[in-house]
Amino acid sequence: MALTEFDLIRRYFTHTARGVTLGVGDDAALVRVARGAELAVSVDMLVEGRHFSKGADPALLGHKTLAVNLSDMAAMGAKPRWATLAISLPKVDEAWLSGFSRGFMALAKRYSVALIGGDTTRGPLTLSVQIMGEVPPGKALRRDGARAGDDVWVSGYLGEAAMALEMMGGKGWRGLSKEDRRTLEERLHAPTPRVGLGLALRGIAHSAIDVSDGLIADLGHICERSGVSATIEWEAVPAIPLVRAHAQTDRGARGLLAGGDDYELCFTASPRRRAAVMAAAARARVRVTMIGRTERKRAAAPVTVLDSVGKPLKVKARGYDHFR
Ligand code: ADP
Ligand code: MG
């Protein structure tokens, strides 16, 4: 017999969680916010055909749906605590639901996030998570905190997700080794949110953002909000050898600088705090790389990329006017 809406919620989306006064099952959940803490709140929606393709692995989708939200908490330096999940489903598909909730809950558990409620309705496949986290007052890592003369840093490696997206299904994709394909796919489908790094950078970074739209665009957001410009060095942008080699091509270069979906953190900090940044990264066990500097606001585009001889890089990138 087909599951009712309530069976479905009970079976797949009801979990006991410590530290929650009242979770799934009532008209609203009740949680206790740490005394004096600020609540960081963010919501993200994933739509089939737009953010993922039909037939996407449900467990990976469950992971990614939460991961992109955790990444927003990371970028704020907030400790993720609670999430709500709104799902629109074309039909009750138990295999799908079980995979999705497994992927979602595994990540929730890893970051001690409680699923405290949601909404379930019939419709085109759409997944929306609202996440809530705590941050001590005034300590959030905001986009508007960069100062001219800051170092610009980025965590991890960029460009893998963009390369996966670009090549999947095409000739280039078939030309890659199995291992390379797996590396790229994993980055696209199962990103690792840099929550620990975000927390470790509180009180050190002046500003932060997660790289979801592409490095140039996202660093551009910091610049605009902070009233500064930035110059970064092409050769310093961290990429694994596979991506670096692909970046010899125009499309590859564009993927590295302007591709999204990496979910690394881009942040700025005073040059006097380099040792503190490195120590924070070591504590969070994440690699960080200094890629450039912020400066007083210029009239031109907020972000300039310099090539190996210090010339502004022109990447043919129709649609991305950040490269003008
Ligand atoms: P209401 O009619 O008050 O909106 P619902 O019948 O939609 O309540 O939901 C019943 C309970 O199940 C609520 O506590 C709601 O938060 C929870 N819930 C519904 N869908 C989900 C879901 N996908 N994930 C987690 N909790 C859910
Ligand atoms: Mg409802």
Side-chain angles (χ1 to χ4, degrees), residues 222-276:
I222 286 185
C223 289
E224 274 150 29
R225 298 294 297 267
S226 300
V228 297
S229 291
T231 300
I232 61 175
E233 282 165 38
W234 164 242
E235 307 234 301
V237 177
I240 61 171
L242 177 65
V243 171
R244 185 48 76 185
H246 183 50
Q248 301 303 315
T249 67
D250 238 27
R251 272 156 71 97
R254 201 188 320 155
L256 179 52
L257 291 172
D261 264 339
D262 287 310
Y263 299 101
E264 294 296 345
L265 294 186
C266 175
F267 58 96
T268 77
S270 161
R272 288 193 309 270
R273 304 301 304 278
R274 275 177 201 166

